[in-house]
Amino acid sequence: MLSYFSRLNYNFKNKYYITASFRGDASSLFGPENRWGYFPSVSAAWTLSNEDFWQDNLGDASSFKLRASWGMSGNNNIGNYEYAAIMNSPAGAVFGNGTIVSAMYPGGVKDNAIGWESTSQYNVGFDLSLFSNRLSISGNYYLSYTKDLLFEQPISAISGASSMLTNLPDSEIRNTGFDVQVDARLITGNDYLRFASEDYR
């Protein structure tokens, strides 16, 4: 595996954030024709709670951030040399007078142009904190598309094999969902000590 990675971060007044990245990966699991995969991503965020209108009306006991991102990732989860046609041995071949001699035979049908499976994902979400971080809520919506699926494609057995690992043409898997996480700190250490002192009195 050979990888190159770059990333750029920008932050303006702790209100606006942009991150962009780009990576290139070369995997020896694929043949020379499609060994490289390129995967960019970009994300942005806006911290509304650092704006003047928020501070003037709600103070600093709460915070709110909006987020959005898009990125690509790759999958090379296959075995070694799946792109290369190999010969198997030993085998026996019968010639003329019935003599059996050693022989080689193809180990299967291979796709020498097999390459990366890629997933493109979109995310939007928010982070909300209330009551001086005692209650936190995060919400996320995601939508992803996976293309060029690595797939054991059935083929005619007359070829000498029943399937061939390849990138399934015109294939796509779509996943979408929404998740919410809620965290609460109802009692802190100082609160417990105060309550215990009051009970004692």
Side-chain angles (χ1 to χ4, degrees):
M1 192 78 171
L2 175 64
S3 300
Y4 295 96
F5 179 81
S6 63
R7 182 170 62 186
L8 174 66
N9 293 313
Y10 180 72
N11 172 5
F12 181 71
K13 293 185 177 181
N14 292 324
K15 299 178 182 179
Y16 314 107
Y17 305 84
I18 296 177
T19 299
S21 67
F22 183 84
R23 66 178 297 148
D25 296 308
S27 173
S28 62
L29 299 179
F30 302 125
E33 188 172 336
N34 280 318
R35 183 157 290 171
W36 282 92
Y38 302 99
F39 309 107
S41 68
V42 62
S43 64
W46 177 24
T47 304
L48 283 78
S49 53
N50 286 342
E51 297 286 358
D52 292 339
F53 67 82
W54 186 285
Q55 293 290 322
D56 293 342
N57 292 282
L58 299 174
D60 57 4
S62 62
S63 64
F64 185 57
K65 177 187 287 187
L66 294 175
R67 300 176 278 102
S69 64
W70 169 83
M72 292 187 67
S73 61
N75 174 26
N76 66 336
N77 188 22
I78 61 174
N80 295 325
Y81 309 115
E82 290 289 348
Y83 65 91
I86 59 175
M87 301 297 289
N88 289 342
S89 67
V94 180
F95 287 93
N97 59 3
T99 303
I100 299 176
V101 298
S102 296
M104 306 281 287
Y105 65 95
V109 178
K110 303 293 184 177
D111 178 9
N112 60 8
I114 190 172
W116 289 86
E117 177 183 290
S118 64
T119 298
S120 177
Q121 180 160 318
Y122 303 83
N123 290 273
V124 292
F126 68 89
D127 299 309
L128 175 63
S129 177
L130 301 170
F131 313 118
S132 300
N133 294 323
R134 289 198 175 214
L135 178 64
S136 300
I137 304 173
S138 293
N140 294 281
Y141 172 77
Y142 66 89
L143 174 63
S144 69
Y145 297 94
T146 301
K147 299 181 179 180
D148 300 322
L149 302 178
L150 294 169
F151 183 74
E152 284 284 352
Q153 176 73 48
I155 59 176
S156 173
I158 198 172
S159 64
S162 59
S163 66
M164 176 182 65
L165 183 63
T166 186
N167 296 105
L168 191 62
D170 301 320
S171 61
E172 181 178 273
I173 294 177
R174 178 179 182 269
N175 286 297
T176 184
F178 185 79
D179 63 82
V180 176
Q181 177 178 329
V182 179
D183 298 301
R185 294 187 300 121
L186 301 179
I187 299 177
T188 65
N190 291 334
D191 294 331
Y192 177 77
L193 292 176
R194 185 173 66 252
F195 295 152
S197 177
E198 291 173 354
D199 291 341
Y200 177 77
R201 290 196 301 270

